[in-house]
Amino acid sequence: MKLEAIDYTAENAAEQFVKSLRETGFGVLKNHPIQQELVQSIYENWYAFFNSEEKENFQFNVDTQDGFFPASVSEVAKGHTKKDIKEYYHYYPTGQCPAQLKAQIQEYYDNANVLASELLSWVEVHSPEDVSALYSQSLSSMVEQSDKTLLRVLHYPPLEGDEELGAIRAGAHEDINLLTVLPAANEPGLQVKTKEGDWLDVPCDFGNLIINIGDMLQEASGGYYPSTTHRVINPEGADKTKSRISLPLFLHPKPEVVLSDRHTANSYLMERLRELGVI
């Protein structure tokens, strides 16, 4: 198993991207339309937010799940007992957001959604006929005007040395949604689990875009596209003193979308949130 960055502008980019998703659950793109300067500025501005007292004014809304989630309520990955070492902010266009950060994060949200929809169309075009027959509607139409797509701004704080034994920045897990779109973070640490059970570093050159399959696409494709286990490990040496900012967009279908005979998007999401203890 090998992960290599695919040139978004190449003639065979779509084919190579979908092949990578099929084989590894991940695809890495370079020369993509998301502006690196925008991502860098978001990292800097939200790093300042996480290091300010202002974040306490935006405590998350239990019903709508938007706002600031402190480390004390951080997720416990499915099958794990230790909380992840992180805090994060859930951004939805209709949700709460610091006024000075709103325009920029909305610009990124819009741009990333446009690209993610295109990537879904790539997946659809390059799906075998028997797999395409399983889709209740086109993949890109599943997310059209969806208000469930979530942009999460993650802050992994510097390690102080008093962390709970066995806790890491993000325990091994799979994502719930269709696709996750993630600009390479400002620090390394993301790893994907291979079919052989080994952990492989995901290429994290700044400017790369990392995309992975979520459980909903696995469900909709009858398992053809694998939702691959991944994690964020703790840094070592001098890197322990560095924060890590990450910006995943979780592409979610509209609630009524039929994923399979077993699930709509909403029933699958609720099942997984209950497993995570979020609801």
Side-chain angles (χ1 to χ4, degrees):
M1 177 174 171
K2 192 174 183 181
L3 266 175
E4 294 182 349
I6 296 159
D7 190 336
Y8 170 86
T9 64
E11 289 186 8
N12 65 344
E15 181 182 358
Q16 291 301 310
F17 173 76
V18 176
K19 180 182 178 183
S20 180
L21 285 182
R22 163 68 173 156
E23 292 178 352
T24 71
F26 273 73
V28 180
L29 292 176
K30 60 183 180 181
N31 298 327
H32 53 80
I34 301 296
Q35 293 183 351
Q36 188 171 336
E37 294 80 8
L38 176 61
V39 174
Q40 178 64 45
S41 182
I42 289 172
Y43 285 169
E44 292 171 357
N45 291 334
W46 282 83
Y47 174 74
F49 172 79
F50 283 117
N51 283 288
S52 73
E53 296 299 321
E54 184 185 8
K55 65 185 180 184
E56 304 299 339
N57 299 328
F58 292 89
Q59 290 286 329
F60 70 96
N61 185 314
V62 174
D63 294 328
T64 55
Q65 292 287 298
D66 63 303
F68 171 63
F69 290 73
S72 59
V73 297
S74 182
E75 295 166 317
V76 177
K78 183 179 176 181
H80 293 253
T81 58
K82 313 291 186 185
K83 282 186 181 295
D84 291 345
I85 308 170
K86 65 188 182 188
E87 57 184 358
Y88 50 92
Y89 196 100
H90 279 181
Y91 176 76
Y92 295 96
T94 56
Q96 58 181 322
C97 182
Q100 74 276 16
L101 300 175
K102 172 75 175 180
Q104 186 183 60
I105 204 71
Q106 182 63 45
E107 179 185 358
Y108 177 81
Y109 184 94
D110 292 339
N111 293 346
N113 266 281
V114 169
L115 178 58
S117 295
E118 180 185 18
L119 299 180
L120 275 180
S121 69
W122 286 7
V123 172
E124 186 172 348
V125 166
H126 291 281
S127 295
E129 286 187 17
D130 58 331
V131 175
S132 293
L134 298 174
Y135 303 145
S136 63
Q137 60 189 89
S138 68
L139 294 179
S140 56
S141 72
M142 290 182 181
V143 298
E144 281 179 5
Q145 298 180 321
S146 172
D147 61 1
K148 295 298 182 182
T149 290
L150 163 66
L151 181 59
R152 174 182 283 182
V153 189
L154 275 157
H155 176 228
Y156 302 101
L159 301 181
E160 304 290 345
D162 57 356
E163 290 77 22
E164 188 177 6
L165 187 65
I168 64 173
R169 283 181 159 176
H173 65 284
E174 301 81 41
D175 290 346
I176 304 171
N177 42 290
L178 286 172
L179 288 179
T180 301
V181 178
L182 174 72
N186 65 332
E187 294 293 330
L190 180 62
Q191 295 184 326
V192 58
K193 196 172 188 178
T194 68
K195 295 173 183 176
E196 295 74 33
D198 301 318
W199 288 102
L200 179 71
D201 290 329
V202 176
C204 62
D205 295 346
F206 191 65
N208 281 355
L209 201 64
I210 301 160
I211 297 94
N212 66 272
I213 294 167
D215 290 347
M216 288 185 179
L217 182 53
Q218 178 174 266
E219 183 76 15
S221 67
Y224 181 80
Y225 292 108
S227 179
T228 312
T229 304
H230 52 285
R231 67 182 183 183
V232 179
I233 59 172
N234 295 341
E236 297 179 352
D239 286 343
K240 289 183 178 181
T241 64
K242 297 179 182 178
S243 287
R244 185 178 190 271
I245 300 288
S246 184
L247 196 62
L249 180 82
F250 300 108
L251 203 65
H252 275 273
K254 298 180 287 288
E256 68 274 14
V257 167
V258 175
L259 296 176
S260 67
D261 293 338
R262 302 187 303 163
H263 282 295
T264 62
N266 183 65
S267 71
Y268 202 22
L269 176 61
M270 292 303 105
E271 178 182 282
R272 288 298 307 277
L273 292 180
R274 281 190 292 270
E275 289 173 349
L276 289 169
V278 175
I279 59 172

